Every structure is written in C-alpha cells, then in structure tokens.
C-alpha cells in the first residue's frame, strides 16, 4: 500500500542531503578502517533518522521485541509511528555472508513486515514476509529507491489503525454528547441511576476533590464507557472491571444507567470498526508496545473529547528517553550517594502523578529479581487522580509484574487519590472512594518515602474564569508556599508560585520530612531563572545538599523563533527541565550543578542526546554558586550591575527600611481589569452604556446569591452567560458588593503603546486597580503628573521596553502575558489632595 507521504513531491532524490551525509560518513569510517557492524551501522541509522522525520517515523535503536516463540530479539533499529512499528533495520559486517545472515535472522523470528538488511554494500528489503528487492548501496539512485520503497509501504492493518485513530478522535465528541444526553435524562427518570450516581458522587468528593461537580463525575462515566473495551481487548484482561477497585465502582453506576436507559452494546456498536482496527493494530505486539499504543489512543481520545480536561491536568506523557534517564539516574544516585539499591528494605518509592504508570514500570524492570515481590507489595507507591490513566497504570504495572515473575498480583500501591490532598492533615476526610482504596492511601501515608519520582502536572490554570476549569486550592500546601517561597520572594506578582508543579516541589520537600532522600521530577522549569521564583530557588537550595538540573529549554514564549511542536520535548510552550535533588545529612556542603542543551535543538535531537547520556553521571555539569539574590543563572557583569542605585525596592515601598537608597519611594503595576471588553472603549458614551448593563447583570447575581442563602460553591452557582467572571469578581459577589455606575470614574488610559482609550476604573468592575488611583486620582492630576513605565522584572520577552505617560497604563500594555511597573513623579491621596514627590 503506497502512503500519501511518498508521492512525487516528497520522494527522496539521489542528491538528497542526508544521502550525501551518509556517503561522507562512510568515507570517514573507511579512512579509519572501521568495518565492523556496530561502527558502520551508525551512518545508516543517522540516514534513517534524517529521512524518517518528514514521515513522522521515530527511530528507536535496539528495542527489545518478542519473537513468536517467546524469546527476545533486538533489531538494530525499529521505526515507529503512532506507537506502532512501521519498519525495522538490521546491519551486518561487510565481511559477513549477507544471505546467510538473513536466513539466520529469519530463523530467530526477526520481523519481515517492512525490514532492511544491509552490509554496507548491499541492502535487501522484505515486506509482508516476502523478499521485495535488492539494492546496491554505493549507487545513490538505488539507495534513494530503497528509502522510498521503505517509507512508502504501509501494511493494510496499520493503514486501518491510522484511519481508526483519526476517525475515533473525530467521532468521540458526537458519541460523548449522546451519552451525556442519556445521563442527563436519566437524572430525571431513572431512580436506580439517581441513587447510584449520588453515592458515587459522594465517593468522588471524599477521594478526589470536595468541590468536584456532577459534570466532572458524568465525564468519568462517559470516559469509562467509551474506552473500557480497549483496556480489556488490547491487554487481554477480561476481568479488568471486576479486579480493579475503582472500575468496579464505576461499573455499578453504569449498570444502573443501562438498566432502564439504553443498551450499552447497541450504543457503542458504531465504534466497532474503530475498536477492531485499533485492537488489530496492537495484536502481536509485546506489552511495552501495547502500552505505547494505549497512551497514543488515550491522547487522541482527549484531543477529541475534552481539551479543557487535558489542559487542567496536563495530559502530556513523558517521552521514554526521559523516563529511562530519570529512573537510571535514581538507581545510580542511590548507589553512589547512599550505597543502596532499589531492593533495599528502606528504599520506599512514590510516583505522585503516575499517569499511565511508565515510571513505576521502568523501575520494576530495574529491581533485583530476588527483591521484586517485596518491593512490589510493600515499598512501591503511585497516585493518579484521573480515571483513564489510573486504569492504564493499573494494567501496565500489574502486567509488568506478571511478565517479570510469571504470576498475576494486584498492585496494592496504586491509589486513586489527589496527592496534594494527602498534605492536608487532620482537615482531610479519611474516606477515599472505596474501602480498599482507603486502605491503600492509609498505608502510603505511613510509609517513610525515600524516592519521589515522576512528571507532575505543568498547567498554570484557566485563562478565563468563565471556563470554570480551574485548578483547585490546597490549604496546607499553599500555606507552606506562602511561608517559604512567597515570603522570601522579592517579586511583586506571586501567583506563579502556586502553579501545580511548584506545589509538587513544595509537597515533595515536605514529604521527605527529616529523612535523606531523592526528588526526581521533570517539570516546567521557569523556576530556574525567572525572578518570581527567587524564593523557590532559595528554599530548594537550602533543603537539598545536591541539586542537578538538566535544562531542556523549549520555552517558546521566551524565544518565538522556536516551535513547541518541534523544539519542546513535550510539545508545549514553556521550558522543560529534569531536576534531581538529593538530601543527604552527611554532605558537608550544598552544591548546584546545571547543564543546558543548545537552544536551537529540536525535540528529537534532545531526546537522542538524553538517550545517549543515560544517567546523571554522564552529563558535563556546570557547577553554580547562587548569588545573594538567589540567582542560579547569573548574567555577565552581575557584580558591576549590583553596585548601581536601584530604581525602587520593596523594602522602601513598604517603609520597613527607610535608610535603603532608591530613586522612587513607591511604584505599582498597571491596571489589571480581567474584562477589557467591558471597561475599555474609544467611545465614552458606549463605554458607559456597557458599564450600566454589566452592573445590572452583576447586581442581579448579587441579589440572587443573597436570596439563595449565600451558597459555598460559587463556581457552580453563578451564571456565565452575560458576565465575564474572575476570581476577584466572585470574591466581591461573596461579600455582597454592588456595582454603582458613576460617569466620573471614566478616565483616559494607555491601553497599548500610543493607543489611548477610555477606561472605567472602579473597584468592582476592575479586578486590580493597583496604586493607579493614587497616581491619577482625578482628571486634573493627569495635567501635572507623569510616570515611567518599565518592563517588570518577570518580563519574558527578550527586549526591554520603557515609556513615559500621563495616562493610567494597562498591566499588559506592551505584552499580553507580562506586566509592567510604573514609577510616578507625584503621588496623591485618593481625592486628589496632598500631593507628594515620589523621588527620594
């Protein structure tokens, strides 16, 4: 079957750069008398890596495969797309008898689906089990033809699999919408379902989130219905829904739903062709390959099903080279720093956000075989808060243990729970979904953790409160952040300190308690160099005696020339890094080591580099000593810069230290409205009419809220149709603050450089007026006062910006994602009186 990717427009030509590079490499090897297989094959694998990219094939060297008779084989390279093998490559020495070697490999069960055998002179291509052609590798035209034939072939079963994945993603919204309609109607008419759903909802509140909505629980039912068959079929585990403690609870609710509402099998019949094609594609694969297939299906499912869920929980799965590097590094550090192995009785391990269980699976394969049962039963733990990855993690981990030991045993260390909830202490409810799950959680809470490893969520939170898709708060973890990271930060804006990944760093540090141990996480790494995280760096350096940070870059917001899709290892917009933090009481000092990959490297270059580095000891680390400002990446001329007079300081602004020298006494951010389309306009009259309408709508909600008895769940109570809500506006609603339109509150504002608009500045409609009412309390003060607007210290763009103005500036007047600080000549009381000079 010829794929569309290999038509005349994309065919590889004999003069292709990658072919020229291949021949140049062969010349270099010949000059060095390198003729053995492992040396010569390097040039061909590089050729495959370069030419596979346009086809979205990924080259994996020496991946283990299971032959038909059960033994393990390792082709020199396996090429994958959408998690399925698309081709194989096997090299032989130039002195070998290629035909004899091919027969020997076939006898061992090497795949012949789409396979190249070569000895640097001749290549033989097999497809669908048949010998297709032979090529002379010294002839560029024949080499190009070999590559085109290789990439141009797709097995029919794989073609069906690809089409099924795409169609599955397209049809999921329609099928999910239909199920949601059935569930909605059942809430009114199906008494058995109403009771079962209510009970399950209460379980979810205690196990996952006290504020979890009915809609979120309904989503769980829909996800289970649409994907449960794939778990059973792909992993050949027909008892999954009976064995898994959470799946069994979900099935109770679905049994009640289907008892009177609809036929489960009949409704899902339209998905039979997709299910069958995906299951056929996975048939015959070994378990690790099936695991990759299910991860891919899961990602495609959420691309079609619910992007909000994917965004809130950061559904981006960790590339295997990163998992390998982190797990191998933990094993190495345990040995070199503590003289321990994964099998030692006091090495207790937790993956706090396990996703589909890849880290635990990897570690299981590294545990000494004699210690494996004890580690599996007593010293290995994992948590997951989302239903589908929790299912997949259970299947992956339990199957891996079965594969290693020859016997099935449920993984009692896996908990369906929000890890950050476990820090809430006495305030936390003690019932976690089911009695069995609660037992697991309680056992984990008592375990003395030594290793914490994984990939926690990276999401910052919803951009729009009307999405009602926010990350929840955690009283205890947030208190710890306030009293450590935030307290010791010099930054003005500290909201980023409550990003999920920062919460996990804070939680992990506390979870070790006073014990020695290791925290190994791959995360958003803005904490390394952004000013807002100076307090994080200070406390992190204090808490751990050895810190290694591998900076994988990929911050598209800092460098727009990069692409998240091609340059970021997770395909996201923020930079990514691997942190290995070691706490050892016998270390005499604290050390920080840092390595940053080249900024322009693409995703595959980074992953290949990590794959070759293997462990933390193979990286050429740069030793760093943080400066007095807790800076890790210290810029050039920092010593000279520190001698300059500061433009302003937080200490002088707060009057805590009047003797500190600075140019300005006080300063402020620009206005942050959170509803620009309501409070800004070029036309003053239109602006006021819109303000009046907004005030009417908002005041109606205040009245309705009061009459309803001031319910605690404001997010679910408010109506999102006419009002753009924000966290601050919901707070004003809670306190019963009315909006009172007043024309005198309309002022001139600098919305963007050289773009002047009218602004309605009011404590209710504007989320954060900052100190602007003291800088420009009335129209008259705009005639005499001036302020300098500068890029904030957290500004992520590479270019510095500054402007002087006699208008109220918007927070984002030069960049939609970053703030600016304003330094006025005068300050006033809010009625315009008592003018004071702000220059010290």
């Amino acid at each position: 079957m010829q794929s569309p990717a290999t038509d005349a427009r994309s065919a590889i030509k004999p003069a292709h750069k990658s072919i020229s590079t291949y021949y140049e490499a062969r010349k270099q090897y010949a000059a060095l008398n390198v003729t053995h297989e492992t040396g010569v094959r390097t040039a061909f694998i590089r050729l495959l890596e370069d030419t596979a990219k346009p086809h979205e094939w990924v080259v994996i060297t020496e991946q283990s495969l299971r032959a038909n008779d059960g033994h393990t084989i390792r082709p020199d390279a396996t090429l994958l797309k959408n998690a399925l093998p698309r081709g194989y490559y096997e090299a032989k020495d130039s002195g070998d008898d290629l035909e004899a070697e091919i027969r020997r490999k076939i006898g061992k069960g090497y795949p012949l689906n789409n396979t190249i055998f070569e000895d640097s002179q001749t290549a033989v291509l097999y497809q669908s089990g048949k010998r297709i052609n032979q090529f002379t590798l010294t002839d560029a035209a024949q080499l190009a033809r070999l590559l085109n034939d290789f990439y141009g072939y797709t097995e029919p079963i794989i073609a069906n699999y690809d089409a099924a994945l795409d169609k599955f993603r397209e049809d999921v919204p329609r099928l999910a919408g239909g199920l949601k309609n059935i569930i909605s109607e059942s809430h009114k008419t199906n008494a058995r379902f109403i009771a079962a759903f209510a009970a399950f909802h209460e379980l979810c509140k205690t196990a996952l989130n006290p504020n979890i909505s009915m809609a979120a629980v309904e989503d769980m039912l829909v996800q289970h219905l649409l994907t449960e068959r794939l778990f059973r079929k792909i992993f050949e585990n027909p008892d999954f829904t009976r064995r898994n403690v959470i799946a069994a609870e979900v099935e109770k609710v679905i049994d009640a739903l289907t008892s009177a509402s609809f036929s489960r099998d009949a409704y899902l019949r339209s998905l039979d062709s997709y299910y069958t094609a995906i299951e056929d594609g996975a048939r015959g694969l070994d378990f690790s390959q099936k695991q990759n297939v299910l991860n891919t299906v899961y990602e495609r499912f959420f691309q079609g099903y619910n992007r909000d869920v994917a965004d809130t929980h950061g559904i981006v799965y960790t590339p295997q080279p990163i998992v390998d590097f982190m797990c191998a590094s933990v094993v190495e550090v345990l040995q070199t720093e503590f003289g321990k192995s994964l099998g030692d009785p006091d090495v207790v391990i937790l993956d706090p956000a396990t996703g589909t269980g890849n880290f635990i699976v990897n570690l299981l394969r590294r545990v000494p075989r004699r210690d494996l049962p004890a580690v599996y039963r007593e010293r290995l733990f994992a948590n997951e808060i989302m239903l589908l990855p929790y299912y997949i993690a259970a299947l992956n981990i339990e199957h891996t243990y079965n594969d290693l030991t020859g016997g099935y045993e449920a993984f009692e260390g896996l908990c369906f729970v929000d890890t950050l909830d476990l820090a809430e202490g006495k305030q936390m409810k003690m019932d976690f979904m089911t009695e069995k799950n609660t037992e697991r959680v309680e056992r984990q809470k008592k375990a003395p953790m030594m290793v914490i490893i994984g990939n926690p969520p990276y999401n910052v939170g919803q951009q729009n409160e009307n999405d009602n898709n926010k990350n929840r708060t955690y009283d205890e973890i947030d208190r710890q952040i306030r009293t450590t990271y935030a307290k010791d930060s010099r930054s003005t804006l500290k909201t980023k300190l409550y990003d999920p990944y920062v919460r996990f760093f804070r939680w992990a540090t506390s979870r070790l308690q006073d014990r020695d141990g290791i925290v190994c996480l791959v995360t958003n790494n803005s904490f390394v160099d952004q000013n807002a995280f100076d307090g994080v760096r200070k406390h992190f350096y204090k808490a751990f005696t050895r810190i290694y940070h591998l900076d994988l870059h990929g911050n598209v917001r800092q460098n727009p020339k990069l692409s998240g899709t091609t340059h970021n290892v997770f395909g996201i917009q923020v930079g990514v890094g691997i942190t290995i933090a070691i706490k050892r009481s016998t270390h005499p000092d604290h050390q920080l080591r840092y390595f940053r990959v080249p900024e322009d490297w693409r995703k595959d270059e980074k992953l290949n580099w990590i794959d070759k580095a293997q462990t933390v000891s193979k990286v050429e680390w740069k030793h760093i000593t943080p400066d007095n400002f807790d800076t890790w990446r210290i810029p050039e001329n920092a010593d000279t810069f520190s001698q300059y007079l500061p433009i302003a300081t937080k200490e002088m602004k707060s009057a805590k230290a009047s003797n500190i020298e600075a140019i300005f006494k006080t300063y402020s951010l620009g206005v942050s409205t959170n509803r620009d389309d309501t409070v800004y306009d070029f036309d003053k009259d239109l602006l006021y009419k819109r303000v009046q309408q907004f005030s009417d709508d908002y005041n109606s909600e205040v009245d309705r809220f009061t009459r309803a008895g001031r319910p605690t769940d404001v997010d679910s109570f408010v109506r999102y149709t006419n009002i753009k809500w924000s966290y601050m506006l919901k707070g004003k609603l809670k306190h019963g603050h009315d909006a009172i339109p007043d024309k005198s509150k309309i002022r001139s504002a600098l919305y963007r450089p050289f773009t002047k608009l009218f602004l309605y500045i009011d404590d209710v409609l504007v989320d954060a007026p900052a100190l602007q009412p003291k800088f420009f309390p009335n129209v008259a003060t705009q005639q005499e006062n001036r302020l300098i607007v500068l890029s904030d210290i957290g500004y992520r763009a590479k270019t510095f910006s500054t402007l002087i103005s006699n208008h109220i500036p918007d927070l984002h007047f030069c960049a939609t994602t970053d703030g600016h600080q304003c330094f006025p000549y005068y300050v006033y009381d809010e009625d315009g009186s008592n003018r004071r000079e702000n220059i010290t």
Side-chain angles (χ1 to χ4, degrees), residues 587-617:
H587 278 151
D589 58 2
H590 293 249
Q591 295 181 12
L592 171 63
R593 295 163 190 176
Y594 175 84
F595 182 84
R596 193 182 203 201
V597 301
E599 186 169 353
D600 60 350
W601 271 11
R602 297 171 70 87
K603 174 180 179 177
D604 55 338
E605 292 176 292
K606 296 173 185 178
L607 295 179
N608 285 337
W609 181 87
I610 292 170
D611 195 39
K612 291 172 183 174
Q614 296 182 324
T615 69
V616 65
S617 65

Side-chain angles (χ1 to χ4, degrees), residues 797-815:
K798 289 193 172 183
T799 54
F800 171 78
S801 68
T802 180
L803 199 66
I804 193 165
S805 177
N806 64 338
H807 298 287
I808 297 171
D810 186 80
L811 173 67
H812 300 308
F813 94 102
C814 259

Side-chain angles (χ1 to χ4, degrees), residues 91-110:
K92 306 315 303 174
D93 287 340
S94 56
D96 288 339
D97 181 338
L98 180 60
E99 296 297 339
E101 289 296 323
I102 292 174
R103 288 194 296 273
R104 190 169 67 84
K105 292 295 182 182
I106 293 174
K108 286 187 173 184
Y110 271 64

Side-chain angles (χ1 to χ4, degrees), residues 120-138:
S120 78
Q121 300 299 314
T122 303
V124 177
L125 178 64
Y126 277 77
Q127 290 175 341
S128 291
K130 299 178 181 178
R131 184 180 181 124
I132 299 301
N133 211 337
Q134 181 171 310
F135 304 86
T136 301
L137 292 181
T138 54

Side-chain angles (χ1 to χ4, degrees), residues 788-803:
I788 299 172
V789 188
L790 300 177
S791 307
D792 184 75
I793 58 174
Y795 195 64
R796 286 171 287 189
K798 289 193 172 183
T799 54
F800 171 78
S801 68
T802 180
L803 199 66

Side-chain angles (χ1 to χ4, degrees), residues 652 662-667 774-775 784-786 823-829 833-840:
M652 180 165 279
I663 299 172
F664 291 94
K665 172 72 174 71
T666 193
Y667 57 97
K774 290 190 175 183
F775 300 167
E784 60 184 14
N785 202 9
R786 301 288 184 275
F823 304 87
Y825 189 78
Y826 297 118
V827 293
Y828 307 80
D829 289 348
S833 64
N834 191 22
R835 186 186 81 180
R836 289 96 67 196
E837 288 191 1
N838 190 42
I839 294 179
T840 60

Side-chain angles (χ1 to χ4, degrees), residues 544-758:
F544 295 92
T545 53
R546 297 289 182 272
I547 299 174
Y548 299 85
H549 184 79
L550 177 57
D551 189 342
L552 299 174
H553 208 275
N555 192 327
V556 179
R557 292 167 182 166
Q558 273 189 349
N559 185 354
K561 293 181 180 179
L562 303 179
S563 163
T565 305
T566 57
H567 290 80
N568 191 291
V569 291
F570 284 125
I572 58 179
Q573 300 292 303
V574 297
V576 174
I578 298 171
T579 304
I580 303 169
I582 304 162
K583 181 180 178 182
R584 184 181 172 194
S585 54
T586 57
H587 278 151
D589 58 2
H590 293 249
Q591 295 181 12
L592 171 63
R593 295 163 190 176
Y594 175 84
F595 182 84
R596 193 182 203 201
V597 301
E599 186 169 353
D600 60 350
W601 271 11
R602 297 171 70 87
K603 174 180 179 177
D604 55 338
E605 292 176 292
K606 296 173 185 178
L607 295 179
N608 285 337
W609 181 87
I610 292 170
D611 195 39
K612 291 172 183 174
Q614 296 182 324
T615 69
V616 65
S617 65
K618 305 290 179 59
V619 179
E620 296 181 2
W621 300 103
K622 177 182 178 182
H623 289 248
I624 292 176
T625 301
D627 66 11
N628 294 332
F629 297 98
D630 304 300
T631 305
W632 287 5
R633 295 186 64 212
I634 301 172
E636 293 182 17
N637 305 316
D639 291 340
T640 302
F641 185 80
S642 65
Q643 298 173 16
Y644 295 156
L645 184 68
I647 189 169
T649 65
K650 287 174 63 178
E651 292 79 7
M652 180 165 279
K653 180 181 181 181
S654 62
K656 290 180 180 177
S658 58
N659 62 330
I660 294 177
E661 293 184 347
I663 299 172
F664 291 94
K665 172 72 174 71
T666 193
Y667 57 97
S668 171
L669 292 167
V671 170
S672 175
T673 76
N674 254 324
R675 52 192 58 81
D676 290 1
D677 54 355
T678 299
V679 298
Y680 277 115
D681 206 301
F682 287 103
D683 187 299
K684 185 185 292 188
D685 293 333
L686 287 176
L687 170 61
Y688 191 62
K689 287 180 181 178
R690 197 160 58 246
V691 165
Q692 288 177 308
Q693 182 62 56
F694 186 94
S695 299
D696 287 345
D697 294 335
Y698 166 77
N699 291 339
S700 295
E701 286 292 270
V702 174
D703 180 59
R704 193 171 68 87
F705 180 74
T706 303
R707 285 187 284 106
R710 312 179 72 81
T712 55
D713 188 359
V714 175
D715 292 337
S716 298
F717 175 82
V718 297
R719 294 166 175 161
Y720 293 92
T721 307
N722 297 324
I723 296 176
K724 182 183 178 186
W725 290 97
S726 63
Y727 175 79
M728 298 293 287
L729 189 62
K730 287 178 180 177
K732 292 161 188 173
L733 171 77
K734 289 180 184 178
H735 290 93
H737 293 169
D738 285 323
I740 303 172
D742 182 350
K743 275 191 175 183
S744 68
K745 295 180 179 179
I746 297 178
R747 308 291 305 286
S748 294
L750 193 67
Y751 184 64
R752 295 292 182 265
F754 316 112
T755 304
K756 189 169 66 172
L757 295 175
F758 288 108

